[in-house]
Amino acid sequence: FIRMSDEDWQLVLDVNLSAGFKLAKAAVRGMMKRRFGRIIGIASVVGVTGNAGQANYSASKAGIIGLTRTMARELASRGITVNGIAPGFVDTDMTKVLPEQVREAATAQIPLGRFGQPEDIANMAVYLASEKASYITGQIISVDGGMAIG
C-alpha cells in the first residue's frame, strides 16, 4: 500500500472492477428483455480476507463483491441472478511462477492442503449458470479449499 503508485492502483481497478461493471452493464439489457439471465463475477479470497502487498487487487475484488450484491438486489425482479465466485489459490500460469517457499506458505493456509484446479472454479460457474441455481442470488461462493473459513 505504502509504495504503490497511483498508476498501479488504477490499472488493477480498471481491469478487475471497471471492466466487470462495463461487461455486466452491456449484457444486462438483453437479459432484462428476456426476463432471464445469469451474471457471474470473479472475486477472490483476498477480496474477503485482504492480503499484504495487494491493496489494489484486494480492493478491486472486494469491489466485485459489493457490485455483485448490489446488482443482485436491482436485477432479481427481472429474472436475473447475480453471484460471484471467490477463488483461492489455483494452479494457473500466474501461481506457477511463485517461488516455492511462497507456494508452501500459501498451501499451509489452506485446510485442504493444496491449490485448486481451474476446473474447480469452472464447475462452480457452470452450476451458478444452471437452472439448479435459480434461487441463488447475491452470493459470493468461496472456492478456496477452506482458506477463508471464519
Side-chain angles (χ1 to χ4, degrees):
F1 167 76
I2 295 168
R3 292 183 295 235
M4 184 172 294
S5 70
D6 289 349
E7 293 78 21
D8 286 342
W9 170 267
Q10 195 60 56
L11 176 64
V12 173
L13 269 284
D14 287 346
V15 169
N16 291 339
L17 183 56
S18 296
F21 166 78
K22 291 174 184 179
L23 181 61
K25 193 168 182 181
V28 80
R29 208 173 289 295
M31 292 177 183
M32 287 171 46
K33 285 181 183 177
R34 289 187 298 279
R35 299 201 55 77
F36 176 84
R38 302 283 191 260
I39 297 172
I40 303 165
I42 303 299
S44 170
V45 67
V46 301
V48 176
T49 64
N51 195 38
Q54 291 188 305
N56 52 359
Y57 186 78
S58 296
S60 70
K61 294 303 186 170
I64 291 290
I65 293 168
L67 179 62
T68 297
R69 292 192 166 140
T70 298
M71 288 190 308
R73 289 184 180 277
E74 291 184 15
L75 299 173
S77 66
R78 294 174 168 93
I80 301 167
T81 64
V82 186
N83 293 291
I85 301 171
F89 287 99
V90 178
D91 270 325
T92 63
D93 290 343
M94 187 172 85
T95 59
K96 283 182 180 22
V97 300
L98 294 173
E100 189 57 35
Q101 67 188 50
V102 173
R103 287 181 62 87
E104 288 173 8
T107 302
Q109 298 176 43
I110 305 169
L112 285 178
R114 64 176 177 82
F115 279 27
Q117 296 301 308
E119 294 82 8
D120 297 321
I121 311 310
N123 291 338
M124 180 54 67
V126 168
Y127 172 72
L128 289 172
S130 77
E131 194 56 37
K132 292 178 181 177
S134 66
Y135 197 59
I136 300 171
T137 196
Q139 301 304 304
I140 305 301
I141 312 295
S142 293
V143 181
D144 63 5
M147 193 172 164
I149 292 173

